[in-house]
Amino acid sequence: MSDYTQVPVDLGDRSYAVTIGPGALSDVGAIVASRRAPTSAALVTNPTVARHYSQTVLQSLSAHGIDARLLLVAAGERSKTLANVERLYNWFLDMGLDRGGAVIALGGGVIGDLAGFAAATYMRGVDFHQIPTTLLAQVDASVGGKTGVDLPRGKNLVGAFHQPRSVTMDTRTLDTLPARELRCGLAEVVKHGIIYDQAYFRFVASAARHLLAREETEMVHAVQRSVEIKRDVVQADERESGLRAILNCGHTIAHAVEVVGGYGHYSHGEAVSIGLVTEAIIAEHLGLAENGLAKEIACILSKLRLPVGMGSELDTNDIVRAVALDKKTLGGAARFALPERIGQCRIVEVPSSEIARGVEEHRRLFT
Ligand SMILES: NC(=O)c1ccc[n+]([C@@H]2O[C@H](COP(=O)([O-])OP(=O)(O)OC[C@H]3O[C@@H](n4cnc5c(N)ncnc54)[C@H](O)[C@@H]3O)[C@@H](O)[C@H]2O)c1
Ligand SMILES: [Zn+2]
């Protein structure tokens, strides 16, 4: 196997490594076989990703004696349903997948969450391997062991924790990713710098152009550092009792922006970008952060061609209401992960009046 970067995830008997590097896709067979070699494997993906990458993966698995069956679900968030989980179970049964088998997810966060949930629950759990192919899935969704599906009444309402046996990230798969999807992942990359690592934030600012151009050296570094940061947070708090909440930085406002903007108008990453700025403004108002933090954050996000303005269609009262509904805190205070400075974040209760003030100020400063 080539000389890839390995990020170990230490979770006792569920420990595994994330393998990162250009071309890693062709070594996925060796990686999977080096864990508990599966008797058979279900390779879950969608037609878009399959067109680009399924051959390489199937060949690599087969070269290591792993007979894998390709299972396709439609692309997009709307595939993250219980109906599709049941379809996967039936296909697993048809192909004779048993407790010695494995489910391998090849694709973005949708495929990872769906296939991971099927793997977590089929026969009370079978081995799961991830091959994330979007930047968001590499730096965020594939690390941490959360799997799940949506219900008609909301996203991610059903799920399970199920750690993968291996995760393989081929940064070259990002070459075919639509630019908007790439930027989605970059918003989470910026968030990682803000919550955990000032030097990383500075690196992303200086490498913005290279990252947008998907240059190998910078991309491998960003994926590696983001995976390490999410790994550190998850390792310290696997079941989300405390520290893990800092990963929500920017997200309280982002979820409200997604709802108020109308689902699909702003992508998740675009909403996170806007939310990171509003939340920094709120932190400044509360005296948690020095003045200028929001501007510094907006500057790096603009360099990455992410939106930083609070559009006029995002009514302040609607945002405040959406936060309250999301956090089920009507009339009370909502918990935010606010930046104190670049590299450090704190969980704080924010009253509605301060949320409104932050949104208004955001609109005044950046439209
Ligand atoms: N489990 C977690 O901890 C976690 C964390 C964050 C997000 N998520 C979930 O992740 C999902 C979003 O993931 P996403 O942003 O990867 O979206 P996605 O999985 O929908 O992928 C985005 C699009 O890119 C396409 N695509 C994927 N890889 C490609 C490639 N290499 N080249 C060309 N096209 C490619 C897909 O077909 C899809 O149309 C959401 O459902 C979210 O809830 C989960
Ligand atoms: Zn996010």
Side-chain angles (χ1 to χ4, degrees):
M1 237 196 307
S2 310
D3 208 7
Y4 302 121
T5 299
Q6 302 269 348
V7 179
V9 181
D10 186 4
L11 296 167
D13 60 358
R14 282 161 303 115
S15 298
Y16 62 95
V18 178
T19 302
I20 304 165
L25 214 56
S26 13
D27 284 312
V28 77
I31 294 167
V32 170
S34 75
R35 300 293 293 167
R36 207 163 63 114
T39 46
S40 62
L43 181 65
V44 182
T45 186
N46 74 32
T48 315
V49 178
R51 188 153 39 83
H52 292 297
Y53 305 112
S54 61
Q55 271 322 99
T56 309
V57 172
L58 287 170
Q59 268 165 20
S60 176
L61 290 170
S62 153
H64 287 82
I66 302 165
D67 175 29
R69 183 81 57 90
L70 189 67
L71 304 178
L72 295 178
V73 297
E77 182 72 29
R78 271 187 290 185
S79 278
K80 244 175 79 173
T81 60
L82 282 172
N84 269 336
V85 174
E86 190 173 357
R87 286 175 73 197
L88 289 177
Y89 293 154
N90 282 315
W91 287 335
F92 297 165
L93 288 168
D94 291 345
M95 62 182 272
L97 194 83
D98 60 17
R99 299 290 310 270
V103 174
I104 306 175
L106 170 69
V110 165
I111 293 292
D113 279 11
L114 171 74
F117 183 66
T121 46
Y122 178 72
M123 297 192 170
R124 294 197 189 80
V126 293
D127 281 1
F128 177 48
H129 299 264
Q130 295 245 58
I131 313 171
T133 61
T134 65
L135 184 59
L136 182 120
Q138 295 187 353
V139 301
D140 189 353
S142 68
V143 186
K146 278 196 200 174
T147 71
V149 295
D150 304 330
L151 293 180
R153 289 207 266 167
K155 280 190 60 168
N156 299 322
L157 289 176
V158 175
F161 283 95
H162 192 55
Q163 298 294 347
R165 292 254 171 203
S166 76
V167 183
T168 305
M169 303 184 180
D170 185 342
T171 42
R172 266 185 215 145
T173 60
L174 303 177
D175 289 350
T176 53
L177 200 61
R180 197 174 180 198
E181 299 291 348
L182 183 82
R183 291 197 297 266
C184 242
L186 290 171
E188 306 287 352
V189 161
V190 171
K191 178 194 78 178
H192 288 141
I194 296 172
I195 64 172
Y196 207 78
D197 185 347
Q198 186 180 49
Y200 182 43
F201 183 90
R202 307 258 176 270
F203 160 80
V204 175
S206 65
R209 214 162 33 85
H210 304 286
L211 291 169
L212 284 172
R214 308 160 204 228
E215 284 170 30
E216 206 160 279
T217 314
E218 287 78 7
M219 199 53 96
V220 170
H221 180 67
V223 170
Q224 177 189 349
R225 190 61 197 129
S226 273
V227 167
E228 286 170 351
I229 291 171
K230 188 153 184 201
R231 185 265 325 257
D232 285 359
V233 173
V234 167
Q235 236 169 236
D237 181 18
E238 193 188 351
R239 296 268 164 163
E240 205 165 41
S241 44
L243 182 67
R244 201 159 166 162
I246 67 170
L247 294 166
N248 286 332
C249 184
H251 280 62
T252 308
I253 293 295
H255 291 148
V257 165
E258 287 183 275
V259 171
V260 176
Y263 267 106
H265 181 75
Y266 291 100
S267 71
H268 176 69
E270 289 163 356
V272 168
S273 176
I274 295 167
L276 287 170
V277 178
T278 320
E279 294 188 15
I281 293 172
I282 295 173
E284 288 181 21
H285 284 169
L286 294 176
L288 283 175
E290 302 256 326
N291 283 340
L293 183 71
K295 275 208 172 119
E296 192 178 1
I297 291 173
C299 176
I300 187 174
L301 292 165
S302 304
K303 275 191 189 162
L304 294 167
R305 306 212 187 103
L306 283 156
V308 294
M310 182 58 73
S312 54
E313 76 282 11
L314 298 168
D315 178 75
T316 304
N317 289 328
D318 289 348
I319 297 274
V320 173
R321 255 192 303 272
V323 169
L325 271 178
D326 186 35
K327 299 274 165 173
K328 296 164 195 72
T329 53
L330 273 169
R335 282 161 73 80
F336 279 67
L338 294 181
E340 296 180 294
R341 54 180 178 77
I342 300 298
Q344 194 172 307
C345 212
R346 186 168 13 140
I347 308 303
V348 187
E349 304 245 316
V350 180
S352 318
S353 56
E354 284 298 332
I355 302 174
R357 187 171 158 227
V359 173
E360 285 294 308
E361 179 71 355
H362 187 168
R363 202 185 319 283
R364 201 182 63 74
L365 288 173
F366 310 94
T367 21

